[in-house]
Amino acid sequence: MKAVMPMLTSLDEGLFGTEWVVVNKLTLSDDNDAIKVVKTVTSWLMCITAMHGHGKLVPSWFPFISYVIALEPNEVDQDLKHLCTKTLASVSRESLPEVSLRPALEAVKKVVVSEERTVGCTWKAKCTALVYLQVMSFTNLYMLRSNQEIVSEIKSLLVTCLESPQVEVRQTAAMTIGGLMKTSLFNDINEVLNQLKDMARTPLPKGTKKSQTDIREIWIRHGAITAMCALVESFPYSIPEWLPETLVFLARYTRGNVMIANGVKKSMSNFKRTHLDSWEEHKGKFTEEQLIVLQDLLVSPNYYA
C-alpha cells in the first residue's frame, strides 16, 4: 500500500485542498491514472476482506481509505462510486486488530476535520465518513471499550461535527452519537448530555430572526439539540433515567428558531408514537411537574392526561 499512496497525490488538492477545487469529469476520467489506481485497489480490498476474514486490515491501508471516503459521494463516475460504496461497506464491517484502531480513526479525521484546512472535503464526504465511523465502531465495540483514549477522540470529533455549517453534517453526527450511545460506548451519558445542554444554551446574537440559519451560534445550538433528540429517539420503547429531564429540556426549544423548533417537535412526535402503547407504565418514570410541562408543550395535551 505504501507504493500506492504516491500515485494518488494528483487528487489531493481536489479532495483535501486548502481551497475548494471542483472534482470534475476530467479529474475523475478513466484517463486519470490516480482514478485507475483507486478502482484497482478498491476491487483488491474487497477481495482481501472477503477471502481472508477478520483482523486483516493493517494500519498501512487506512490512508487509502480516506480517498475512498472522499470519492464515494461523486456523481460523475458511477463505477467509481459503486466501488467506493462497496469497499466502505466491506471494510467497515471488519473486526480490526487493536493496532489499526487509531489509523482507522485518522482516516475519518482527514476527511471530516483538520485545523490546517479551511475548506477540505465536501459535506457529502464528511457524512460518508461519519456513517463509516459509526459502522466501524459497532463492529469493533469490544476492542474500543478497552481503549478509552480513542473513544474520547471519537466523542470529541462528533461534538466538533455538531458545529458544522452544513446541516446534513450536524444531523449525521447527531445520528452517530445516538447510535453509539445506545451501545454504551460512551461510559457516562450524563457527561455527554451536560455538554450538549451547554452547547444548546449558546446565546444567539440580538436581532437574530427565527428563520435564520447562517450564523455559528445557531449551528452550535441546532447541532446540540439535534443530538439530544437523537438520544431520545435511540430508546423508542423504554424510559432511561435521564430521558424525562431531557424531554423537559428539549420542550423549551419548541418555539424560537424555526429549524430547531421543527426538529424538537418531530422528535416529540416520534416519542409519543413509540411510547403510546405502554404509556401507563412509562409515565410512572416522570414526576408530576415534568408531566405538566410536557402536557403544555406537546401537540396533543390529552396524551399526558
Side-chain angles (χ1 to χ4, degrees), residues 8 16 23 55 60 69 100 107 133 154 156 229 238 241-242 258 264 267:
L8 305 180
F16 310 111
V23 183
S60 61
I69 294 171
S100 292
L133 176 63
I154 291 174
S156 296
C229 289
S238 61
E241 182 180 350
W242 52 267
V258 174
V264 174
S267 184

Side-chain angles (χ1 to χ4, degrees), residues 69-274:
I69 294 171
L71 288 167
E72 192 276 340
N74 94 85
E75 299 296 339
V76 177
D77 187 332
Q78 291 300 311
D79 288 339
L80 176 63
K81 180 181 180 68
H82 177 74
L83 283 169
C84 290
T85 301
K86 296 285 285 183
T87 299
L88 290 176
S90 178
V91 170
S92 65
R93 294 195 298 265
E94 284 293 307
S95 296
L96 302 179
E98 185 174 6
V99 70
S100 292
L101 290 178
R102 179 163 296 283
L105 179 58
E106 292 301 324
V108 173
K109 283 185 176 181
K110 183 176 181 180
V111 175
V112 172
V113 62
S114 172
E115 295 179 359
E116 298 176 357
R117 296 198 304 274
T118 56
V119 178
C121 294
T122 66
W123 66 264
K124 290 183 179 180
K126 293 178 181 181
C127 290
T128 299
L130 292 173
V131 172
Y132 165 78
L133 176 63
Q134 182 176 5
V135 179
M136 185 272 289
S137 299
F138 286 160
T139 306
N140 294 277
L141 275 176
Y142 179 78
M143 194 70 70
L144 283 170
R145 283 173 178 159
S146 64
N147 195 324
Q148 286 303 305
E149 181 180 354
I150 290 183
V151 170
S152 179
E153 290 185 37
I154 291 174
K155 182 170 66 174
S156 296
L157 178 64
L158 293 173
V159 170
T160 298
C161 290
L162 294 178
E163 302 180 11
S164 170
Q166 192 68 36
V167 62
E168 289 87 354
V169 175
R170 299 196 297 269
Q171 290 170 338
T172 307
M175 176 195 70
T176 304
I177 289 173
L180 294 181
M181 188 62 74
K182 192 169 184 178
T183 67
S184 301
L185 180 62
F186 305 136
N187 288 333
D188 190 352
I189 190 169
N190 290 316
E191 179 183 338
V192 175
L193 283 170
N194 288 335
Q195 185 174 6
L196 294 175
K197 288 177 180 179
D198 287 342
M199 293 171 64
R201 295 187 184 102
T202 301
L204 303 183
K206 291 183 179 180
T208 302
K209 297 178 181 178
K210 288 186 177 181
S211 59
Q212 200 162 348
T213 61
D214 58 349
I215 58 176
R216 186 170 184 271
E217 290 81 0
I218 288 180
W219 303 338
I220 295 173
R221 180 178 287 191
H222 175 259
I225 294 296
T226 303
M228 293 175 72
C229 289
L231 289 176
V232 169
E233 293 184 40
S234 65
F235 293 87
Y237 305 111
S238 61
I239 305 287
E241 182 180 350
W242 52 267
L243 196 147
E245 183 56 39
T246 301
L247 282 177
V248 171
F249 183 90
L250 289 172
R252 304 171 190 173
Y253 296 90
T254 53
R255 297 179 179 84
N257 181 268
V258 174
M259 176 175 62
I260 294 173
N262 286 344
V264 174
K265 290 175 183 176
K266 180 180 179 181
S267 184
M268 292 283 190
S269 177
N270 288 336
F271 172 81
K272 170 183 174 179
R273 174 177 54 81
T274 57

